[in-house]
Amino acid sequence: MTDSVQAQLDRLVVGQNPAIRALSRLIDMHFAWNDAPDPQHRPPNALIIGPTGTGKTHAIRVAADALDIPCVVVDSTRLVGTGSSASLSLEGVLSLLVKRARSMGGSGTPEDRAARGIIFLDEFDKLRFGKATEDTAGIQRRLLQFIESDGLDLAPSEFEHPRVLDTRGILFIAAGAFTNIDRFRDMREVGHGWGDVIRPEDVHRYGFIEELTARLPVIIRFNPLDVGALWQILEQDDVSPLVFYREYFRRHGYLLDIEPAVLSAIATAACRSKLGARGLHQELFPVLHDLANHLIHADGETDRLGGPRRFPLSLAVYRQLKNGTYDHARSTYDPTPTD
């Protein structure tokens, strides 16, 4: 099972080899436990730490899809705003997992399938002490009970019988950027450090109760994406945002030919933005939106008849589009039809 998960992660998650190996092994351990449950020796849950846009949520979804198991991604801040329309109870999280299991189908009841699923608590670092007006300590203690429990009642409606979901086999993964957490690692006494490894004690100092950090003992680090990794994302159709933009232009009769030098410039600019893979869209949209305005009429039609045309996006044109100096009427573009 580890091989199938890791193969998908290797293919679809770029630049995080140590992290995806740890993650695939952790998931395999959970499945092994589910095959032969031992209530006295339960597998560990995990905390993923890494900057935005590095693939944390993406990796969990890829793994869940590879295993065909239900997975829900929850914005942890929704667990705080009690009484608001955006708030979400922990029982509500379980209900979402069961709903997801029901939509996927498969053998067994939806509750049985959900009991082997994944609950991913995104933006977990936002629950630190002092970072919200709500009682984040209370939410942390409730999460502790949630993760530690053997089962929880799903809130029944007047038309349903009470249902208890066995939560022992659910893999709980929390994740967040944890900006500047390294300073707590560097404060450790000499002889108590683990090099660059973040420890639960660092998470505690960051603003989390010790009991909760103890229930998330496996800490997996996702590193910032460098220029090479971002370039690889651009070139790999499985994950490249360029697929979306190329398809958009194709629907309007243009096939984009993007020079390697342009890909390098895009990756470099995205790396400077420190937004990870999300920085690629931030760099691509202004340029390609401007190009679309030059090529596509307001009514959605192109400025030519016939078959699709190739548009070579050179580094010079890219720079002109980026700084707003591109003049399509005076360009040397030759709208030659494709074969």
Side-chain angles (χ1 to χ4, degrees):
M1 185 170 293
T2 301
D3 291 342
S4 63
V5 175
Q6 190 164 310
Q8 286 292 82
L9 290 170
D10 283 337
R11 186 170 65 88
L12 298 174
V13 181
V14 175
Q16 305 293 352
N17 289 343
I20 62 177
R21 277 159 177 71
L23 181 60
S24 62
R25 182 59 62 188
L26 176 72
I27 292 172
D28 192 60
M29 288 178 176
H30 265 263
F31 265 78
W33 186 90
N34 272 295
D35 289 339
D38 179 359
Q40 299 301 317
H41 303 94
R42 291 164 62 172
N45 295 295
L47 174 64
I48 298 178
I49 292 176
T52 184
T54 52
K56 302 184 296 295
T57 307
H58 174 59
I60 298 302
R61 286 185 167 135
V62 166
D65 287 346
L67 293 168
D68 194 29
I69 58 174
C71 171
V72 293
V73 177
V74 179
D75 184 338
S76 295
T77 60
R78 292 186 63 193
L79 303 174
V80 176
T82 54
S84 72
S85 59
S87 65
L88 185 63
S89 69
L90 299 177
E91 291 80 6
V93 173
L94 286 181
S95 294
L96 288 175
L97 188 64
V98 174
K99 184 178 181 180
R100 174 63 179 155
R102 183 178 292 112
S103 69
M104 295 174 65
S107 60
T109 67
E111 288 80 7
D112 290 339
R113 296 193 297 274
R116 296 168 62 92
I118 299 174
I119 292 178
F120 184 80
L121 301 168
D122 201 8
E123 303 290 346
F124 184 70
D125 51 328
K126 302 299 190 298
L127 297 182
R128 65 184 294 196
F129 295 143
K131 296 302 290 184
T133 57
E134 292 83 1
D135 182 12
T136 52
I139 294 297
Q140 288 188 30
R141 292 189 182 93
R142 186 71 179 95
L143 273 172
L144 171 63
Q145 297 171 353
F146 190 37
I147 294 172
E148 187 67 5
S149 70
D150 292 339
L152 285 177
D153 291 331
L154 296 177
S157 72
E158 59 180 308
F159 305 106
E160 294 179 326
H161 296 292
R163 294 171 296 163
V164 175
L165 179 62
D166 186 346
T167 60
R168 294 174 299 173
I170 294 175
L171 174 57
F172 291 89
I173 298 180
F178 283 83
T179 305
N180 296 324
I181 194 173
D182 290 317
R183 72 180 185 273
F184 297 106
R185 177 200 63 195
D186 298 336
M187 289 167 55
R188 295 190 206 133
E189 295 181 10
V190 175
H192 293 276
W194 281 44
D196 290 333
V197 177
I198 296 296
R199 302 278 293 157
E201 63 208 67
D202 304 320
V203 181
H204 167 57
R205 293 191 182 97
Y206 195 82
F208 287 82
I209 60 176
E210 288 182 289
E211 297 90 340
L212 182 56
T213 61
R215 299 313 188 277
L216 301 167
V218 176
I219 298 178
I220 300 173
R221 194 78 179 259
F222 273 57
N223 295 315
L225 297 176
D226 60 18
V227 172
L230 291 167
W231 192 342
Q232 183 180 342
I233 290 173
L234 287 172
E235 290 188 313
Q236 187 172 326
D237 284 350
D238 287 334
V239 293
S240 176
L242 281 173
V243 172
F244 165 80
Y245 293 105
R246 282 195 168 107
E247 175 61 16
Y248 176 79
F249 278 89
R250 187 196 66 78
R251 285 174 176 268
H252 289 285
Y254 291 95
L255 302 179
L256 287 182
D257 282 337
I258 304 178
E259 294 183 355
V262 176
L263 296 181
S264 177
I266 293 169
T268 300
C271 188
R272 284 198 297 265
S273 75
K274 299 188 183 302
L275 293 176
R278 292 188 180 95
L280 294 172
H281 272 296
Q282 187 181 66
E283 180 66 16
L284 285 166
F285 179 80
V287 171
L288 296 182
H289 140 267
D290 194 28
L291 179 59
N293 287 343
H294 285 286
L295 298 181
I296 303 169
H297 295 312
D299 60 3
E301 296 296 327
T302 56
D303 62 0
R304 80 311 171 266
L305 299 174
R309 300 318 203 243
R310 293 193 180 277
F311 186 93
L313 183 55
S314 66
L315 185 59
V317 171
Y318 163 79
R319 287 172 174 167
Q320 291 167 9
L321 288 165
K322 189 170 183 178
N323 62 29
T325 61
Y326 178 70
D327 185 345
H328 186 62
R330 300 179 63 183
S331 72
T332 59
Y333 164 60
D334 181 16
T336 304
T338 59
D339 294 333

